[in-house]
Each structure stands twice: as C-alpha cells, then as structure tokens.
Amino acid sequence: AKNSNFVTPHGYHDPKHYTTAYDLAKITMEAMKNPLIRAIVKTQIYKIPPTNIKKSGIYLRNTNKLVNKYTFLRITHYFIY
C-alpha cells in the first residue's frame, strides 16, 4: 500500500488516516491469504461464551451483505476470490 497512512492499529477514526480503494484491495488480498482471517470474515453468527458477568453469552451477527445470506435483502450471489 503506497497511498495509505494509518496512525493507529485499532481502526478508529483519526484525521491522519487515509487510503485509496486500490490500496484497500491490495491489503484485503494479502489478508485473505491467512486462513484465520478467511474464517473470521465468513462467519455469519458467533456466540461469545458465557462469563461471570454475562451468564447467557453474547451473540454477534455479521452484517456484511456480501457474505451474510440471512440479510433482509436475501443476497444469493457471493464474490469468490
């Protein structure tokens, strides 16, 4: 990525962050080489196990309409890389 600048690792907004669509595509292509990243990205629903604070656990749902087949739009076509 030659036209990007990130000043923090967490992704929260910072006025010094900038990037291009091309750089984001390159970053994504590299990240998708990692099997763990691929598994996380395609996970539709994940349950955080119960803890001493939250006895029932917490459900997280992926809202990315490109990978979540349960969205209200009922998208049936997926991008294959």
Side-chain angles (χ1 to χ4, degrees), residues 19-81:
T19 190
T20 64
Y22 181 76
D23 279 1
L24 284 178
K26 287 176 67 172
I27 292 166
T28 301
M29 293 295 285
E30 191 62 31
M32 294 304 280
K33 292 178 183 178
N34 183 318
L36 178 60
I37 297 294
R38 287 196 312 272
I40 291 169
V41 168
K42 73 178 183 177
T43 298
Q44 294 182 16
I45 297 174
Y46 178 77
K47 182 180 181 186
I48 297 174
T51 67
N52 61 328
I53 296 171
K54 185 74 172 173
K55 302 293 184 199
S56 62
I58 299 172
Y59 284 91
L60 303 175
R61 184 174 64 88
N62 186 341
T63 60
N64 184 334
K65 294 175 182 136
L66 295 176
V67 297
N68 189 343
K69 66 182 177 183
Y70 298 111
T71 62
F72 68 94
L73 294 177
R74 301 287 183 217
I75 294 173
T76 58
H77 296 88
Y78 301 93
F79 293 99
I80 300 173
Y81 297 97

